[in-house]
Amino acid sequence: MKDRLARLARWQNERAGRIVVGSFAVGLLALPLILGVPGVTDGLTLNSDFTAMLPRTAQSVRDLDEIQERFGGQAAMIVAIEGDDIEGVHEFTRQLAPRVAAMGELKVTAVDWNLADFEAFVEQHRHLYADLDDLREIRDALQARLDYERARANPFYIDLGEDEPPDPQDTIDRIERDADAARSDMDARFPDGFFQHPEQNLVLMVVHTSIRGGEIGDTERLVAAIRAAADDLGPEAYSANLEVHFGGTLIEARDETESLIAAVESATAITIALVMLAIYVFFLRFRPIPILALGLIPPVLVTFGLAELTVDYLNASSAFLSSIVVGNGINPNVIWLSRYFEARREGLGVAEALEVTHRSTWMGTLTASLAAGVAYGSLISTDYRGFRDFGIVGGIGMVLCWVAAYTVLPALTALFERWRPLTFDRGARHRGIYGVIFAKLALARPWLVVGLSGVVTVGAIGLVIASAEDPLEYDLRRLRSDRDPDSDAEYVLAASRAILDDTQSGSGLAVLAPSRDEALRFIAYLESHRDEFPHAYGEVTSVEGILPDDQTEKIEILGSLRSLMLEIRPRVDEEMQSMIDAQLPPASLTPLAPDDLPRSVTRPFTERDGTRGRLLVVEHHPDESGWDVRYTGRWAAAARSLRAEGADEPPPIAGTAVVFYDLLHQIYQDGPRTILIALVATALLLMLTFRRARDRALTLGSLLLGILWMAATMALFGMRLNFLNFLAFPITFGNGADYGVNVMRRFVDEESQGESVTASIRAAIEGTGGAVILCSLTTVIGYISIYTSSNRALNSFGAAMAISEVTCLAAAVLAMPAALYLVGRRRERLQKSS
């Protein structure tokens, strides 16, 4: 191996320019994959939709695909139109709605904007929509009056002083007043059929599309097309101050994605700037900054080029991998360059310094990078894309950054040496500020460091045990983005709450039954099992709820009413006759079916082929919060308890509640496995890296200690586990091992050259330890930069990872060296006494 490293060093020194040019050429080849090529690839995009974190085989995703295929999409864009003149707003909406409905090429499937045709339909079929008890009351009143009139017309009638039956007109007038009140309520809620705000001159259009939440480009194109259509109409001609606002699930997803993209860009910029500053403070030279920055460009570009090929898009979990790959991937580069500077300071030439640096660092950095790669790789073992994609991209990044540290970085270093050779003050010993501080802390009072570590560990165990019973975050409001309260999306959301229900806004659970009869059976089941699922769901709506109730019985009563009205007509005055003529039921009535209803009210229940009656919507319980994952789990479980006759699986169900249910299920199922794989793989790597049991035990012990302290710190600050910060645990096995492995590797190398325990530990901490501290600092910067995001779930992930960096670093450069010093000194004393 020594000869191979020597040949590698000579080749890099002699062919530095070609190596650098070749590596950058490879990096540039990845750019089209990242940025996209028109007509070939969209590039590496960001999909912030929660379904993007689930595998396509997840039940909620498969169900959503099936329902979207049959109904043309469940995602809604809500367009709010507001102006000073409400009549002008109405007319503008009448003109705009058909133009939007015609945007099929932009994935518009339907537009809901007015219920006037349904109001006319109800008026046309008012007899069937009449209350059954009212019909009975009218029939009985007419029958009693007719019997009375018949008796009086009988020449043999004898008046026995019985009371005259009430005038049917009184009953009819009361029922008419009730019907007028119901119509007034309808008109008040939907004036002229519009979805109008009760207190503002604002109406809504609900634009249903087949666009998915993560398809931001399609959303933007649709918004632009609707704005253009609105501008073409000339809003000023309809009302002063007429404005069009956009909201709904698609706009919220767009805003979320744009927020993530902006945060990723700023986080990456902040990471690079602060990392470069930290590098300067460590090396006290400017040269390492361009060398390390340039050395990272090819592997980072190739990483994200391969990401486009392997994962297709980034999701909410993997969005910030650019800053993370830079913050973590720079570690082997820093270790290598730090050791190279030491070799040059010792008076070695460039070629010899390259060889010595390769030989003294490759094993430690390779083990550390493999540990990080294995930690990321453990995430690949899951089906949950929130873990898997993160693991694929992160693992590729760690491997490529290590390869670059031993190919690109040495060549760049050699090139810079040709341009301006390094010079050092031979009489001065350079000791990096980071390493010196920790060396003094660890070696000045080793017993105190070990004792404090023990006390902290005992307290940490208590904290972890206390919080282990219920560690998960259930309030989704703590995981969402902090939205601008003055944004269009928030404005439209507030307006829609006063106008639309879950079915109209598309926020309920859509259940697709195999037939209309099964849908009716589902509804009956849910209504009869409310006690079994207390407070799990609210109203259950379907197209059946729009049809009149008890139609068969009503038709029978209406037939009797018609006969009675015709028979009594000659016996009443002209005013009553006019009323009978106006309200006389048709001679022939048949029950209304779903296909008879106007599309304005059946759109949510109508499939692409026109089939109606198979879909029902299970709305959320009004007393429960849709942000509470425990509630959404009960809501989803109730819906998934449905079974068609002879079926073993629930019918297709689409909605946010089932997506979150599947997300939590995946984390529960895959999370412990990823942690176990990361632990076992890291332990095996350490077994192969170190020969002595002492070195293996102390390195693994420092890693486990750091993870324990991390978990306790999170518990201390009240941090709960969610679908994103759970990633911190398997990843920490790799990142945490990085520091302990490099420090221990340097100690072993120094000791093997005959140095004393104290000298070996001091060299390990001040030399490699200082570089390790810098590595940790750069990684912490990468994670802390995530706080530029307004997304609280990402913030919690960044906080968890930053905590893990600090605790694992403390264990690696304080607790482990102090314990190693005590063990080593004891061994030296035993050797002297023997």
Side-chain angles (χ1 to χ4, degrees):
M1 189 66 184
K2 182 178 180 180
D3 292 340
R4 292 179 180 176
L5 292 175
R7 287 197 299 271
L8 175 63
R10 286 195 302 271
W11 176 67
Q12 289 168 331
N13 186 39
E14 295 168 0
R15 300 286 187 269
R18 295 182 183 181
I19 295 171
V20 171
V21 171
S23 62
F24 271 82
V26 172
L28 291 174
L29 288 175
L31 275 179
L33 292 173
I34 300 171
L35 302 178
V37 178
V40 179
T41 174
D42 292 332
L44 186 63
T45 57
L46 176 61
N47 187 341
S48 64
D49 194 60
F50 279 111
T51 59
M53 292 193 290
L54 287 168
R56 302 309 303 173
T57 56
Q59 186 174 348
S60 57
V61 178
R62 286 187 287 109
D63 289 353
L64 179 62
D65 287 342
E66 181 173 352
I67 290 177
Q68 181 156 310
E69 177 65 26
R70 290 184 176 276
F71 288 85
Q74 296 294 303
M77 180 185 294
I78 300 177
V79 181
I81 303 164
E82 185 177 24
D84 293 348
D85 178 10
I86 191 61
E87 293 301 325
V89 170
H90 284 181
E91 183 57 32
F92 182 82
T93 305
R94 287 190 188 95
Q95 299 300 320
L96 181 61
R99 287 170 168 77
V100 176
M103 297 178 182
E105 74 282 359
L106 296 176
K107 299 186 178 181
V108 172
T109 57
V111 177
D112 295 337
W113 64 280
N114 194 281
L115 299 176
D117 58 348
F118 178 63
E119 294 175 4
F121 179 85
V122 171
E123 180 62 27
Q124 179 184 353
H125 300 279
R126 60 188 179 281
H127 300 98
L128 290 176
Y129 277 98
D131 183 77
L132 180 61
D133 290 337
D134 288 346
L135 290 177
R136 287 173 177 154
E137 194 171 345
I138 293 173
R139 179 197 61 189
D140 294 344
L142 286 176
Q143 185 67 61
R145 187 68 187 184
L146 183 59
D147 291 344
Y148 175 75
E149 293 296 339
R150 283 172 178 167
R152 286 177 56 84
N154 189 335
F156 302 103
Y157 171 73
I158 300 175
D159 188 355
L160 300 177
E162 296 176 350
D163 292 336
E164 181 178 343
D167 187 345
Q169 186 64 49
D170 295 337
T171 302
I172 293 171
D173 288 345
R174 178 181 58 78
I175 292 172
E176 275 294 322
R177 286 194 298 272
D178 292 343
D180 288 341
R183 280 190 287 270
S184 296
D185 289 343
M186 183 73 172
D187 289 339
R189 184 179 179 191
F190 303 108
D192 295 328
F194 287 93
F195 298 121
Q196 182 174 320
H197 196 281
E199 299 174 358
Q200 298 175 237
N201 291 339
L202 178 149
V203 299
L204 300 181
M205 281 196 317
V206 183
V207 182
H208 299 274
T209 78
S210 58
I211 300 173
R212 289 184 177 274
E215 296 174 345
I216 305 305
D218 289 340
T219 301
E220 286 290 356
R221 283 187 284 274
L222 179 56
V223 169
I226 295 175
R227 285 197 184 279
D231 291 342
D232 287 345
L233 287 172
E236 64 282 352
Y238 294 86
S239 170
N241 299 315
L242 193 146
E243 296 178 348
V244 178
H245 307 276
F246 295 86
T249 55
L250 286 178
I251 300 302
E252 291 168 5
R254 181 204 65 182
D255 291 351
E256 185 84 12
T257 300
E258 289 179 348
S259 173
L260 282 175
I261 291 172
V264 166
E265 292 172 349
S266 62
T268 303
I270 290 171
T271 297
I272 292 172
L274 293 180
V275 164
M276 295 303 108
L277 176 62
I279 289 170
Y280 173 77
V281 172
F282 176 75
F283 287 98
L284 295 178
R285 289 174 179 264
F286 284 107
R287 178 175 299 202
I289 295 176
I291 291 177
L292 290 170
L294 291 171
L296 282 177
I297 290 175
V300 170
L301 288 178
V302 174
T303 294
F304 288 98
L306 292 175
E308 200 282 332
L309 296 176
T310 54
V311 301
D312 189 32
Y313 54 79
L314 300 179
N315 54 46
S317 289
S318 54
F320 278 80
L321 273 169
S322 55
S323 59
I324 293 171
V325 168
V326 170
N328 280 357
I330 200 174
N331 292 356
N333 294 264
V334 167
I335 299 290
W336 188 94
L337 194 60
S338 173
R339 186 68 184 89
Y340 176 82
F341 271 53
E342 282 188 48
R344 291 284 284 131
R345 192 175 291 110
E346 292 167 0
L348 299 180
V350 173
E352 191 177 1
L354 291 175
E355 180 185 347
V356 168
T357 304
H358 286 343
R359 191 170 62 247
S360 60
T361 63
W362 79 270
M363 177 63 78
T365 56
L366 176 61
T367 303
S369 294
L370 284 177
V374 164
Y376 285 111
S378 69
L379 302 174
I380 301 174
S381 67
T382 75
D383 291 326
Y384 174 48
R385 290 196 64 169
F387 288 175
R388 193 198 69 185
D389 292 3
F390 196 103
I392 291 173
V393 180
I396 291 173
M398 292 305 100
V399 171
L400 292 180
C401 285
W402 183 86
V403 171
Y406 288 86
T407 54
V408 183
L409 185 65
L412 279 167
T413 304
L415 277 181
F416 271 79
E417 290 272 29
R418 293 178 190 175
W419 168 61
R420 181 174 293 177
L422 281 170
T423 57
F424 298 95
D425 183 354
R426 292 290 184 90
R429 179 188 173 194
H430 175 80
R431 299 188 299 170
I433 185 173
Y434 302 140
V436 170
I437 294 173
F438 280 83
K440 287 182 177 180
L441 289 173
L443 298 179
R445 296 286 187 274
W447 279 109
L448 179 61
V449 172
V450 171
L452 286 176
S453 297
V455 171
V456 171
T457 300
V458 171
I461 292 172
L463 277 171
V464 170
I465 291 175
S467 63
E469 184 177 346
D470 189 19
L472 295 181
E473 178 60 75
Y474 297 108
D475 189 351
L476 294 175
R477 284 172 295 196
R478 296 177 183 173
L479 305 180
R480 66 185 297 214
S481 293
D482 292 320
R483 295 176 183 165
D484 180 0
D486 297 324
S487 68
D488 258 17
E490 289 297 302
Y491 184 74
V492 173
L493 176 63
S496 65
R497 284 173 176 162
I499 303 172
L500 306 176
D501 57 27
D502 283 0
T503 302
Q504 292 166 328
S505 63
S507 57
L509 288 180
V511 181
L512 180 61
S515 66
R516 182 187 173 194
D517 289 341
E518 285 289 356
L520 292 171
R521 199 171 66 80
F522 286 169
I523 294 170
Y525 172 87
L526 290 171
E527 293 296 348
S528 63
H529 285 71
R530 288 187 179 273
D531 291 340
E532 186 177 333
F533 302 101
H535 276 224
Y537 49 90
E539 290 188 28
V540 182
T541 63
S542 73
V543 73
E544 307 296 335
I546 306 173
L547 291 170
D549 297 326
D550 308 307
Q551 291 192 73
T552 302
E553 189 172 355
K554 285 180 181 178
I555 289 173
E556 182 181 347
I557 293 174
L558 288 167
S560 301
L561 268 176
R562 177 180 173 82
S563 299
L564 288 170
M565 292 169 76
L566 290 174
E567 187 171 350
I568 203 173
R569 187 179 186 282
R571 308 171 189 272
V572 295
D573 58 31
E574 290 185 3
E575 183 179 352
M576 188 64 172
Q577 287 179 353
S578 297
M579 187 278 295
I580 289 174
D581 293 341
Q583 301 297 335
L584 186 68
S588 176
L589 283 173
T590 57
L592 296 174
D595 290 342
D596 298 321
L597 294 166
R599 185 171 176 78
S600 64
V601 289
T602 60
R603 201 280 323 149
F605 310 104
T606 304
E607 299 176 40
R608 282 180 168 177
D609 62 3
T611 302
R612 296 176 179 177
R614 298 204 305 145
L615 190 81
L616 55 141
V617 177
V618 184
E619 299 184 359
H620 87 279
H621 196 282
D623 296 335
E624 299 287 350
S625 171
W627 294 107
D628 186 343
V629 174
R630 286 168 294 193
Y631 165 67
T632 57
R634 298 201 316 272
W635 185 15
R640 283 184 169 170
S641 69
L642 295 169
R643 295 291 184 276
E645 192 170 344
D648 296 325
E649 298 293 328
I653 303 170
T656 303
V658 289
V659 171
F660 283 128
Y661 183 92
D662 284 354
L663 279 175
L664 279 182
H665 177 72
Q666 289 279 174
I667 292 173
Y668 271 124
Q669 176 178 291
D670 296 341
R673 183 170 75 244
T674 62
I675 292 175
L676 180 61
I677 291 173
L679 172 60
V680 172
T682 303
L684 288 174
L685 270 174
L686 296 180
M687 294 286 288
L688 295 172
T689 303
F690 300 106
R691 295 180 179 179
R692 291 184 296 191
R694 179 201 67 180
D695 303 338
R696 295 169 177 169
L698 286 174
T699 308
L700 181 60
S702 74
L703 170 62
L704 296 178
L705 203 62
I707 292 175
L708 175 63
W709 291 351
M710 163 201 172
T713 305
M714 292 176 65
L716 182 65
F717 286 104
M719 294 175 61
R720 289 181 169 271
L721 296 179
N722 57 56
F723 63 87
L724 200 50
N725 67 18
F726 195 95
L727 282 166
F729 285 92
I731 292 173
T732 298
F733 279 101
N735 289 357
D738 187 339
Y739 309 137
V741 165
N742 279 296
V743 171
M744 182 62 77
R745 186 75 253 170
R746 180 66 182 271
F747 169 79
V748 171
D749 288 345
E750 294 290 333
E751 196 178 40
S752 66
Q753 295 174 22
E755 298 287 345
S756 67
V757 170
T758 303
S760 297
I761 293 175
R762 188 175 299 280
I765 301 177
E766 290 184 357
T768 301
V772 160
I773 295 165
L774 174 59
C775 291
S776 180
L777 182 58
T778 61
T779 305
V780 167
I781 289 170
Y783 289 124
I784 292 298
S785 71
I786 293 177
Y787 265 85
T788 58
S789 167
S790 62
N791 186 283
R792 298 182 192 179
L794 283 169
N795 293 163
S796 72
F797 170 70
M801 287 306 305
I803 290 170
S804 76
E805 286 294 317
V806 173
T807 57
C808 288
L809 178 68
V813 299
L814 284 177
M816 185 181 75
L820 187 60
Y821 175 82
L822 294 175
V823 172
R825 293 290 291 174
R826 181 175 180 275
R827 190 184 65 179
E828 286 181 345
R829 286 195 298 270
L830 290 175
Q831 287 175 346
K832 288 179 180 180
S833 63
S834 61

